[in-house]
Amino acid sequence: MKSLIILCGIILTIYVVYRVYKYQTLDDGLHKLIKNGAIILDVRTEKEFETGHIAGSQNISLGTIRERYIELDPNKTYITVCSHGLRSVKVENILKEKGFKKVHNGGAWSDLQKSLNLKISDEKK
């Protein structure tokens, strides 16, 4: 019985963490930032990027961001995305360490793309 309660607690914790992550990364604010000129920074590898990405996004992988961050304008707004949301958090933190003030985690690129498509279709109605 004790094991079952512990297992349920772990599952509940994972679910809550997931919901908080989804809420923090895919809120309405990202859509507004993009509409106002934010740049989507896809931090997956080049091969991953070639398999699919959000139109207009820029690709600089996590593995090269420490060298290539100088290609970015610290005065612009960036939304980091990757395949699941882990690498994008790391790049968000790296850029903030480098002095970038306007960096936001967009989570998984496919989730952000779906969210943006829903917002666009809602605006057309």
Side-chain angles (χ1 to χ4, degrees):
M1 183 67 178
K2 214 176 198 182
S3 297
L4 181 61
I5 292 172
I6 291 171
L7 180 63
C8 288
I10 291 170
I11 291 171
L12 179 63
T13 302
I14 291 170
Y15 176 75
V16 168
V17 168
Y18 173 75
R19 294 302 298 171
V20 167
Y21 160 77
K22 292 289 276 183
Y23 176 76
Q24 288 181 338
T25 57
L26 296 176
D27 63 357
D28 283 338
L30 295 180
H31 178 259
K32 291 175 186 169
L33 289 172
I34 293 167
K35 198 172 182 181
N36 291 327
I39 298 165
I40 299 171
L41 183 62
D42 194 319
V43 301
R44 297 175 298 147
T45 64
E46 287 182 24
K47 286 184 180 184
E48 288 175 298
F49 186 77
E50 289 170 4
T51 64
H53 57 272
I54 297 173
S57 60
Q58 185 175 351
N59 179 231
I60 300 178
S61 70
L62 169 61
T64 62
I65 194 69
R66 291 190 188 277
E67 296 83 33
R68 294 185 59 197
Y69 78 92
I70 57 174
E71 298 173 22
L72 304 174
D73 182 348
N75 297 313
K76 292 188 177 180
T77 302
Y78 293 94
I79 299 171
T80 60
V81 296
C82 62
S83 54
H84 299 292
L86 298 175
R87 288 178 280 181
S88 60
V89 170
K90 289 179 183 178
V91 170
E92 176 188 17
N93 291 329
I94 290 168
L95 290 177
K96 285 181 177 178
E97 286 172 9
K98 300 292 185 185
F100 288 73
K101 304 262 188 263
K102 299 179 274 186
V103 183
H104 306 272
N105 178 27
W109 76 272
S110 55
D111 290 343
L112 181 59
Q113 185 175 41
K114 287 176 192 170
S115 175
L116 293 175
N117 288 341
L118 287 174
K119 294 288 181 192
I120 291 169
S121 65
D122 287 346
E123 289 175 355
K124 289 181 180 179
K125 290 181 181 177

